[in-house]
Amino acid sequence: MATPNTSTRPVPTEPARATATDTARVLTLALAPIVAQGVIARRRRVVALAGKLDTDGRGVAVLQDLRDRYGPGPVRLRIPGRPAALVLDPGHVRRTLTESPDPFAPDSWEKRGALRHLQPHGVLISHGSLRAARRVFNEAVLDTGKPLHEQAGAMTRVVHGEASWLGSVAAGDGALTWDTFIPAWWRTVRRIVLGDGAREDHRLTDDLTHLRNRANWSGLVPQQKARRDRFRNAVRTHLDRAEPGSLAAMTARNPADGRTDPVDQVPQWLFAYDPAGAVAYRALALLTAYPDELARVRAEIAERDLTEPHDLPRLRAAILESVRLWPTTPLLLRDTTVPTTWGGSTLPAGTAMIIPTWFLHRDDRTRDDADRFHPEQWLDGSAREDWSLVPFSAGPAACPGRELVLFTASTFLAVLLRDLDPEQPAELSGGEPLPKGLDPFALRFPVRAIR
């Protein structure tokens, strides 16, 4: 379990205001490199450059220095026209996330500008009664909170087939690369979400990727409504088939009024699975770098028939460590809907509350596991009590697809590890401390077939 170092930590008091110089330093050295890598869709070249320059590690150091200077915050930043505060204390993280959607609204100004490019009626950028209705619909379809989805049997058959195919291709090539992995992952995702008829609909996910790349710029670029309409019509066509075993079938079974707009909820399900692929791929790299844990995972797999759905706690723990070490949502955003009091000070309504998850997860001044692989905390339950760890967010606005993503990723990796013996990639050959940034696009696993 991570042990906080409290000897030099300031006592939480009230929001402090950073100087203009310190604000500029935070924006340019900590936040800008994170945003530049792509918040909605990863920019492959920028991710590679960030890894080479260790911008994630430098950003952690900048925020450590900020906390030393101003206390745990929230630390107000001097951004013209946009009140903003960094949330650096686990207790403040807990308050911000558990008191969503009011007074801390998930539909931040930046998020609305971004997601309007691909899902203007999505739950993430909704508020009030509309958000509540859309949240209920999402939770019903995604079977939120259940380790095994209602359609887990059909989904397992999909995952098993696609992962087995990938394993045979990789074994023939003698290596598993991202460019081999990701097409198989996307075929799996399209079939789980939209049914077998969407397996080869590459244009649909290509259009989604294009719209997500536009969304990276939030409101700074115009919307491409023609492409969005084409994407939306394709989604509707697949939903109308309501193929058994898919989320499309679950959508048909859960009535929704016109305001809920089921079609506009689907993009979130699809694009959330994209970074989940990177999480699974990095988890595979972690396991190859830690042979003892890999052996435990192999023992877990050996006990099960992988053509049937299973909860795989050790594999899930490895995947959760992957997303802790390299968060796919490095910044959680909330906007205050009313003035909020912190200690003796008040933050005005409309303040952007910025939770830097990549910093909280990798802060080596407060976490003794900041730069090492520590899956046991997800098995013994200690991670769930730690509010500095929020890889899927938390509170009422937590990711409703958390369990479905973990189930899909763990089953996919289980089949690969049953069929393949992967070697450790060069990027993790240095042991500990683990790098603050790990480019999944560059990972290459030499492999041999097990059977």
Side-chain angles (χ1 to χ4, degrees), residues 304-357:
R304 293 165 170 82
D305 175 3
L306 297 181
T307 63
E308 298 295 330
H310 297 284
D311 185 12
L312 300 166
R314 285 214 164 266
L315 255 179
R316 286 190 184 221
I319 291 164
L320 283 163
E321 272 297 90
S322 172
V323 76
R324 173 185 76 86
L325 290 162
W326 302 289
T328 55
T329 307
L331 300 172
L332 293 176
L333 303 179
R334 299 288 187 268
D335 276 4
T336 58
T337 58
V338 296
T340 58
T341 301
W342 303 79
S345 296
T346 299
L347 292 177
T351 297
M353 307 298 292
I354 305 170
I355 303 174
T357 56

Short mmCIF file of all heavy atoms in Angstrom, two decimals, residues 304-357:
data_model
loop_
_atom_site.label_atom_id
_atom_site.label_comp_id
_atom_site.label_asym_id
_atom_site.label_seq_id
_atom_site.Cartn_x
_atom_site.Cartn_y
_atom_site.Cartn_z
N ARG A 304 -9.16 -21.53 -16.13
CA ARG A 304 -10.44 -21.14 -16.69
C ARG A 304 -10.56 -21.49 -18.17
O ARG A 304 -9.58 -21.47 -18.91
CB ARG A 304 -10.65 -19.62 -16.51
CG ARG A 304 -10.83 -19.22 -15.05
CD ARG A 304 -10.67 -17.72 -14.86
NE ARG A 304 -11.05 -17.28 -13.53
CZ ARG A 304 -10.27 -17.34 -12.47
NH1 ARG A 304 -9.05 -17.83 -12.59
NH2 ARG A 304 -10.69 -16.91 -11.29
N ASP A 305 -11.79 -21.76 -18.59
CA ASP A 305 -12.13 -21.93 -20.00
C ASP A 305 -12.40 -20.54 -20.57
O ASP A 305 -13.42 -19.92 -20.24
CB ASP A 305 -13.36 -22.83 -20.13
CG ASP A 305 -13.85 -22.95 -21.58
OD1 ASP A 305 -13.19 -22.39 -22.49
OD2 ASP A 305 -14.90 -23.59 -21.78
N LEU A 306 -11.51 -20.05 -21.39
CA LEU A 306 -11.60 -18.67 -21.85
C LEU A 306 -12.65 -18.45 -22.93
O LEU A 306 -12.83 -17.33 -23.39
CB LEU A 306 -10.23 -18.18 -22.33
CG LEU A 306 -9.15 -18.15 -21.25
CD1 LEU A 306 -7.83 -17.62 -21.83
CD2 LEU A 306 -9.58 -17.32 -20.05
N THR A 307 -13.35 -19.51 -23.32
CA THR A 307 -14.49 -19.31 -24.22
C THR A 307 -15.74 -18.92 -23.44
O THR A 307 -16.77 -18.60 -24.02
CB THR A 307 -14.78 -20.57 -25.05
OG1 THR A 307 -15.16 -21.64 -24.16
CG2 THR A 307 -13.55 -20.97 -25.87
N GLU A 308 -15.65 -18.95 -22.12
CA GLU A 308 -16.75 -18.56 -21.24
C GLU A 308 -16.34 -17.31 -20.45
O GLU A 308 -15.15 -17.08 -20.20
CB GLU A 308 -17.10 -19.69 -20.26
CG GLU A 308 -17.57 -20.96 -20.93
CD GLU A 308 -18.89 -20.78 -21.66
OE1 GLU A 308 -19.69 -19.92 -21.22
OE2 GLU A 308 -19.12 -21.47 -22.66
N PRO A 309 -17.31 -16.48 -20.05
CA PRO A 309 -16.96 -15.24 -19.32
C PRO A 309 -16.47 -15.54 -17.91
O PRO A 309 -17.00 -16.41 -17.22
CB PRO A 309 -18.29 -14.47 -19.31
CG PRO A 309 -19.36 -15.50 -19.49
CD PRO A 309 -18.75 -16.58 -20.33
N HIS A 310 -15.44 -14.78 -17.51
CA HIS A 310 -14.87 -14.93 -16.17
C HIS A 310 -14.44 -13.56 -15.66
O HIS A 310 -13.98 -12.72 -16.43
CB HIS A 310 -13.66 -15.86 -16.17
CG HIS A 310 -13.96 -17.27 -16.56
ND1 HIS A 310 -14.57 -18.17 -15.72
CD2 HIS A 310 -13.72 -17.94 -17.72
CE1 HIS A 310 -14.71 -19.33 -16.34
NE2 HIS A 310 -14.20 -19.21 -17.55
N ASP A 311 -14.54 -13.40 -14.36
CA ASP A 311 -13.86 -12.29 -13.70
C ASP A 311 -12.42 -12.73 -13.48
O ASP A 311 -12.17 -13.82 -12.94
CB ASP A 311 -14.54 -11.99 -12.37
CG ASP A 311 -13.97 -10.77 -11.68
OD1 ASP A 311 -13.21 -10.03 -12.34
OD2 ASP A 311 -14.28 -10.57 -10.50
N LEU A 312 -11.47 -11.93 -13.93
CA LEU A 312 -10.05 -12.27 -13.84
C LEU A 312 -9.37 -11.21 -12.97
O LEU A 312 -8.80 -10.25 -13.47
CB LEU A 312 -9.44 -12.31 -15.25
CG LEU A 312 -10.06 -13.34 -16.20
CD1 LEU A 312 -9.62 -13.06 -17.65
CD2 LEU A 312 -9.68 -14.75 -15.80
N PRO A 313 -9.42 -11.37 -11.66
CA PRO A 313 -8.98 -10.29 -10.76
C PRO A 313 -7.52 -9.89 -10.94
O PRO A 313 -7.20 -8.70 -10.86
CB PRO A 313 -9.27 -10.84 -9.36
CG PRO A 313 -9.47 -12.31 -9.53
CD PRO A 313 -9.99 -12.50 -10.90
N ARG A 314 -6.62 -10.84 -11.17
CA ARG A 314 -5.22 -10.46 -11.31
C ARG A 314 -4.96 -9.71 -12.61
O ARG A 314 -4.19 -8.74 -12.64
CB ARG A 314 -4.31 -11.69 -11.23
CG ARG A 314 -4.16 -12.20 -9.81
CD ARG A 314 -2.79 -12.78 -9.53
NE ARG A 314 -2.58 -12.89 -8.08
CZ ARG A 314 -1.99 -11.99 -7.34
NH1 ARG A 314 -1.51 -10.88 -7.90
NH2 ARG A 314 -1.83 -12.16 -6.04
N LEU A 315 -5.60 -10.13 -13.68
CA LEU A 315 -5.45 -9.39 -14.93
C LEU A 315 -6.09 -8.01 -14.81
O LEU A 315 -5.55 -7.03 -15.32
CB LEU A 315 -6.06 -10.18 -16.08
CG LEU A 315 -5.07 -10.86 -17.03
CD1 LEU A 315 -5.79 -11.62 -18.12
CD2 LEU A 315 -4.12 -9.84 -17.64
N ARG A 316 -7.24 -7.92 -14.17
CA ARG A 316 -7.86 -6.62 -13.97
C ARG A 316 -6.96 -5.70 -13.16
O ARG A 316 -6.85 -4.51 -13.45
CB ARG A 316 -9.21 -6.77 -13.26
CG ARG A 316 -10.31 -7.34 -14.14
CD ARG A 316 -11.65 -7.25 -13.46
NE ARG A 316 -12.70 -7.86 -14.26
CZ ARG A 316 -13.92 -7.36 -14.42
NH1 ARG A 316 -14.23 -6.22 -13.84
NH2 ARG A 316 -14.82 -7.97 -15.16
N ALA A 317 -6.29 -6.26 -12.16
CA ALA A 317 -5.39 -5.45 -11.34
C ALA A 317 -4.23 -4.93 -12.17
O ALA A 317 -3.80 -3.77 -12.02
CB ALA A 317 -4.87 -6.27 -10.16
N ALA A 318 -3.71 -5.76 -13.07
CA ALA A 318 -2.62 -5.31 -13.94
C ALA A 318 -3.10 -4.19 -14.86
O ALA A 318 -2.38 -3.22 -15.12
CB ALA A 318 -2.09 -6.48 -14.77
N ILE A 319 -4.32 -4.31 -15.36
CA ILE A 319 -4.88 -3.29 -16.24
C ILE A 319 -5.13 -2.00 -15.46
O ILE A 319 -4.85 -0.89 -15.96
CB ILE A 319 -6.17 -3.82 -16.89
CG1 ILE A 319 -5.82 -4.94 -17.90
CG2 ILE A 319 -6.94 -2.70 -17.59
CD1 ILE A 319 -6.99 -5.78 -18.31
N LEU A 320 -5.62 -2.12 -14.24
CA LEU A 320 -5.82 -0.93 -13.42
C LEU A 320 -4.49 -0.25 -13.09
O LEU A 320 -4.41 0.99 -13.04
CB LEU A 320 -6.56 -1.30 -12.14
CG LEU A 320 -8.07 -1.54 -12.31
CD1 LEU A 320 -8.64 -2.31 -11.13
CD2 LEU A 320 -8.80 -0.22 -12.51
N GLU A 321 -3.44 -1.02 -12.89
CA GLU A 321 -2.13 -0.43 -12.68
C GLU A 321 -1.64 0.28 -13.94
O GLU A 321 -1.01 1.33 -13.88
CB GLU A 321 -1.11 -1.50 -12.27
CG GLU A 321 -1.04 -1.74 -10.79
CD GLU A 321 -0.56 -0.50 -10.03
OE1 GLU A 321 -1.43 0.31 -9.64
OE2 GLU A 321 0.65 -0.33 -9.82
N SER A 322 -1.95 -0.29 -15.09
CA SER A 322 -1.57 0.35 -16.35
C SER A 322 -2.22 1.73 -16.47
O SER A 322 -1.55 2.71 -16.82
CB SER A 322 -1.98 -0.53 -17.53
OG SER A 322 -1.79 0.12 -18.76
N VAL A 323 -3.50 1.81 -16.14
CA VAL A 323 -4.19 3.09 -16.27
C VAL A 323 -3.84 4.03 -15.11
O VAL A 323 -3.95 5.25 -15.24
CB VAL A 323 -5.72 2.88 -16.39
CG1 VAL A 323 -6.37 2.52 -15.08
CG2 VAL A 323 -6.40 4.09 -17.01
N ARG A 324 -3.39 3.48 -13.98
CA ARG A 324 -2.87 4.36 -12.92
C ARG A 324 -1.55 4.97 -13.35
O ARG A 324 -1.34 6.19 -13.22
CB ARG A 324 -2.66 3.59 -11.61
CG ARG A 324 -1.96 4.46 -10.54
CD ARG A 324 -1.63 3.69 -9.29
NE ARG A 324 -0.50 2.80 -9.39
CZ ARG A 324 0.77 3.16 -9.21
NH1 ARG A 324 1.09 4.42 -8.95
NH2 ARG A 324 1.74 2.27 -9.29
N LEU A 325 -0.65 4.15 -13.84
CA LEU A 325 0.69 4.63 -14.18
C LEU A 325 0.66 5.57 -15.38
O LEU A 325 1.43 6.53 -15.44
CB LEU A 325 1.60 3.43 -14.46
CG LEU A 325 1.96 2.60 -13.22
CD1 LEU A 325 2.49 1.23 -13.62
CD2 LEU A 325 2.99 3.34 -12.36
N TRP A 326 -0.22 5.30 -16.34
CA TRP A 326 -0.31 6.12 -17.55
C TRP A 326 -1.78 6.43 -17.82
O TRP A 326 -2.40 5.81 -18.70
CB TRP A 326 0.35 5.39 -18.72
CG TRP A 326 1.79 5.06 -18.43
CD1 TRP A 326 2.84 5.93 -18.35
CD2 TRP A 326 2.33 3.76 -18.13
NE1 TRP A 326 4.00 5.25 -18.05
CE2 TRP A 326 3.73 3.94 -17.90
CE3 TRP A 326 1.80 2.47 -18.06
CZ2 TRP A 326 4.57 2.87 -17.58
CZ3 TRP A 326 2.63 1.41 -17.74
CH2 TRP A 326 3.99 1.62 -17.50
N PRO A 327 -2.37 7.37 -17.08
CA PRO A 327 -3.82 7.63 -17.18
C PRO A 327 -4.22 8.05 -18.60
O PRO A 327 -3.55 8.86 -19.24
CB PRO A 327 -4.05 8.77 -16.20
CG PRO A 327 -2.88 8.75 -15.28
CD PRO A 327 -1.73 8.25 -16.08
N THR A 328 -5.31 7.50 -19.05
CA THR A 328 -5.84 7.89 -20.36
C THR A 328 -6.66 9.17 -20.27
O THR A 328 -6.93 9.81 -21.29
CB THR A 328 -6.72 6.76 -20.94
OG1 THR A 328 -7.74 6.43 -20.01
CG2 THR A 328 -5.87 5.53 -21.22
N THR A 329 -7.08 9.53 -19.06
CA THR A 329 -7.70 10.83 -18.81
C THR A 329 -6.80 11.56 -17.83
O THR A 329 -7.03 11.52 -16.61
CB THR A 329 -9.12 10.69 -18.26
OG1 THR A 329 -9.89 9.85 -19.13
CG2 THR A 329 -9.82 12.05 -18.17
N PRO A 330 -5.76 12.23 -18.31
CA PRO A 330 -4.79 12.84 -17.40
C PRO A 330 -5.31 14.05 -16.65
O PRO A 330 -4.74 14.45 -15.63
CB PRO A 330 -3.63 13.22 -18.32
CG PRO A 330 -4.25 13.37 -19.67
CD PRO A 330 -5.37 12.38 -19.72
N LEU A 331 -6.41 14.65 -17.15
CA LEU A 331 -7.01 15.80 -16.47
C LEU A 331 -8.51 15.56 -16.33
O LEU A 331 -9.20 15.35 -17.34
CB LEU A 331 -6.78 17.09 -17.28
CG LEU A 331 -5.33 17.51 -17.53
CD1 LEU A 331 -5.30 18.68 -18.50
CD2 LEU A 331 -4.65 17.89 -16.22
N LEU A 332 -9.01 15.60 -15.11
CA LEU A 332 -10.45 15.58 -14.87
C LEU A 332 -10.90 17.01 -14.65
O LEU A 332 -10.28 17.75 -13.87
CB LEU A 332 -10.79 14.73 -13.65
CG LEU A 332 -10.54 13.23 -13.75
CD1 LEU A 332 -10.84 12.56 -12.41
CD2 LEU A 332 -11.39 12.61 -14.84
N LEU A 333 -11.98 17.40 -15.33
CA LEU A 333 -12.45 18.78 -15.28
C LEU A 333 -13.85 18.86 -14.69
O LEU A 333 -14.73 18.06 -15.03
CB LEU A 333 -12.46 19.40 -16.68
CG LEU A 333 -11.13 19.40 -17.44
CD1 LEU A 333 -11.33 20.02 -18.82
CD2 LEU A 333 -10.07 20.16 -16.67
N ARG A 334 -14.06 19.82 -13.83
CA ARG A 334 -15.38 20.15 -13.30
C ARG A 334 -15.49 21.68 -13.27
O ARG A 334 -14.51 22.37 -13.02
CB ARG A 334 -15.58 19.61 -11.89
CG ARG A 334 -15.50 18.09 -11.76
CD ARG A 334 -16.71 17.42 -12.38
NE ARG A 334 -16.72 15.98 -12.13
CZ ARG A 334 -16.20 15.07 -12.94
NH1 ARG A 334 -15.58 15.47 -14.06
NH2 ARG A 334 -16.26 13.79 -12.66
N ASP A 335 -16.68 22.20 -13.51
CA ASP A 335 -16.95 23.63 -13.41
C ASP A 335 -17.87 23.88 -12.22
O ASP A 335 -18.89 23.18 -12.07
CB ASP A 335 -17.62 24.17 -14.68
CG ASP A 335 -16.64 24.51 -15.78
OD1 ASP A 335 -15.43 24.27 -15.60
OD2 ASP A 335 -17.08 25.00 -16.84
N THR A 336 -17.54 24.87 -11.39
CA THR A 336 -18.42 25.20 -10.27
C THR A 336 -19.67 25.89 -10.79
O THR A 336 -19.61 26.79 -11.63
CB THR A 336 -17.72 26.10 -9.25
OG1 THR A 336 -17.28 27.30 -9.92
CG2 THR A 336 -16.51 25.42 -8.63
N THR A 337 -20.83 25.44 -10.30
CA THR A 337 -22.10 26.04 -10.73
C THR A 337 -22.53 27.18 -9.82
O THR A 337 -23.38 27.99 -10.20
CB THR A 337 -23.21 24.97 -10.77
OG1 THR A 337 -23.33 24.38 -9.46
CG2 THR A 337 -22.88 23.89 -11.78
N VAL A 338 -21.95 27.22 -8.62
CA VAL A 338 -22.22 28.28 -7.65
C VAL A 338 -20.90 28.59 -6.94
O VAL A 338 -19.95 27.81 -7.02
CB VAL A 338 -23.29 27.85 -6.61
CG1 VAL A 338 -24.63 27.60 -7.28
CG2 VAL A 338 -22.83 26.62 -5.83
N PRO A 339 -20.82 29.71 -6.23
CA PRO A 339 -19.61 29.94 -5.43
C PRO A 339 -19.41 28.82 -4.41
O PRO A 339 -20.36 28.35 -3.78
CB PRO A 339 -19.90 31.29 -4.74
CG PRO A 339 -20.90 31.96 -5.63
CD PRO A 339 -21.76 30.85 -6.17
N THR A 340 -18.16 28.36 -4.26
CA THR A 340 -17.87 27.28 -3.31
C THR A 340 -16.84 27.75 -2.29
O THR A 340 -15.88 28.42 -2.64
CB THR A 340 -17.33 26.04 -4.06
OG1 THR A 340 -16.15 26.40 -4.79
CG2 THR A 340 -18.37 25.49 -5.01
N THR A 341 -17.07 27.36 -1.07
CA THR A 341 -16.21 27.80 0.03
C THR A 341 -15.17 26.74 0.36
O THR A 341 -15.49 25.55 0.49
CB THR A 341 -17.05 28.09 1.29
OG1 THR A 341 -18.01 29.11 0.97
CG2 THR A 341 -16.16 28.57 2.42
N TRP A 342 -13.93 27.17 0.46
CA TRP A 342 -12.82 26.30 0.84
C TRP A 342 -12.07 27.01 1.97
O TRP A 342 -11.44 28.04 1.74
CB TRP A 342 -11.88 26.08 -0.35
CG TRP A 342 -12.57 25.52 -1.56
CD1 TRP A 342 -13.34 26.19 -2.46
CD2 TRP A 342 -12.56 24.15 -1.98
NE1 TRP A 342 -13.81 25.33 -3.43
CE2 TRP A 342 -13.34 24.06 -3.16
CE3 TRP A 342 -11.95 23.00 -1.48
CZ2 TRP A 342 -13.53 22.86 -3.84
CZ3 TRP A 342 -12.14 21.79 -2.17
CH2 TRP A 342 -12.93 21.74 -3.32
N GLY A 343 -12.16 26.46 3.16
CA GLY A 343 -11.56 27.15 4.30
C GLY A 343 -12.25 28.50 4.47
O GLY A 343 -13.46 28.59 4.54
N GLY A 344 -11.46 29.56 4.48
CA GLY A 344 -12.04 30.89 4.65
C GLY A 344 -12.20 31.64 3.36
O GLY A 344 -12.50 32.85 3.39
N SER A 345 -11.99 30.99 2.22
CA SER A 345 -12.08 31.68 0.92
C SER A 345 -13.16 31.05 0.05
O SER A 345 -13.63 29.94 0.31
CB SER A 345 -10.73 31.63 0.20
OG SER A 345 -9.74 32.33 0.91
N THR A 346 -13.52 31.79 -0.98
CA THR A 346 -14.56 31.33 -1.88
C THR A 346 -14.06 31.36 -3.31
O THR A 346 -13.43 32.33 -3.74
CB THR A 346 -15.81 32.23 -1.76
OG1 THR A 346 -16.31 32.16 -0.42
CG2 THR A 346 -16.89 31.78 -2.73
N LEU A 347 -14.35 30.28 -4.03
CA LEU A 347 -14.09 30.24 -5.47
C LEU A 347 -15.38 30.63 -6.18
O LEU A 347 -16.46 30.12 -5.84
CB LEU A 347 -13.65 28.85 -5.92
CG LEU A 347 -12.29 28.36 -5.42
CD1 LEU A 347 -12.04 26.93 -5.90
CD2 LEU A 347 -11.18 29.28 -5.91
N PRO A 348 -15.31 31.51 -7.17
CA PRO A 348 -16.54 31.97 -7.82
C PRO A 348 -17.18 30.90 -8.69
O PRO A 348 -16.53 29.93 -9.10
CB PRO A 348 -16.04 33.14 -8.69
CG PRO A 348 -14.60 32.84 -8.95
CD PRO A 348 -14.10 32.16 -7.72
N ALA A 349 -18.46 31.07 -8.96
CA ALA A 349 -19.13 30.19 -9.91
C ALA A 349 -18.42 30.30 -11.26
O ALA A 349 -17.92 31.35 -11.64
CB ALA A 349 -20.59 30.60 -10.05
N GLY A 350 -18.39 29.18 -11.96
CA GLY A 350 -17.73 29.16 -13.26
C GLY A 350 -16.24 28.87 -13.19
O GLY A 350 -15.54 28.96 -14.21
N THR A 351 -15.74 28.51 -12.00
CA THR A 351 -14.33 28.18 -11.87
C THR A 351 -14.08 26.77 -12.41
O THR A 351 -14.80 25.82 -12.06
CB THR A 351 -13.87 28.24 -10.41
OG1 THR A 351 -14.02 29.58 -9.93
CG2 THR A 351 -12.42 27.82 -10.25
N ALA A 352 -13.06 26.63 -13.23
CA ALA A 352 -12.65 25.31 -13.72
C ALA A 352 -11.82 24.63 -12.65
O ALA A 352 -10.76 25.11 -12.28
CB ALA A 352 -11.84 25.45 -15.00
N MET A 353 -12.32 23.51 -12.13
CA MET A 353 -11.58 22.70 -11.16
C MET A 353 -10.81 21.65 -11.95
O MET A 353 -11.40 20.79 -12.60
CB MET A 353 -12.54 22.05 -10.17
CG MET A 353 -13.49 23.01 -9.48
SD MET A 353 -12.65 24.27 -8.47
CE MET A 353 -11.99 23.24 -7.16
N ILE A 354 -9.49 21.73 -11.90
CA ILE A 354 -8.62 20.85 -12.70
C ILE A 354 -7.97 19.83 -11.79
O ILE A 354 -7.18 20.17 -10.90
CB ILE A 354 -7.54 21.67 -13.43
CG1 ILE A 354 -8.17 22.78 -14.27
CG2 ILE A 354 -6.66 20.77 -14.29
CD1 ILE A 354 -7.16 23.78 -14.82
N ILE A 355 -8.31 18.56 -11.99
CA ILE A 355 -7.72 17.47 -11.21
C ILE A 355 -6.68 16.78 -12.10
O ILE A 355 -7.02 16.08 -13.04
CB ILE A 355 -8.79 16.46 -10.76
CG1 ILE A 355 -9.88 17.16 -9.93
CG2 ILE A 355 -8.15 15.31 -9.97
CD1 ILE A 355 -11.04 16.26 -9.57
N PRO A 356 -5.39 16.98 -11.82
CA PRO A 356 -4.33 16.41 -12.67
C PRO A 356 -4.03 14.97 -12.26
O PRO A 356 -3.13 14.70 -11.47
CB PRO A 356 -3.14 17.34 -12.42
CG PRO A 356 -3.34 17.82 -11.01
CD PRO A 356 -4.83 17.84 -10.75
N THR A 357 -4.79 14.03 -12.80
CA THR A 357 -4.67 12.64 -12.36
C THR A 357 -3.27 12.09 -12.60
O THR A 357 -2.74 11.32 -11.79
CB THR A 357 -5.70 11.76 -13.06
OG1 THR A 357 -5.56 11.89 -14.48
CG2 THR A 357 -7.11 12.14 -12.67
#
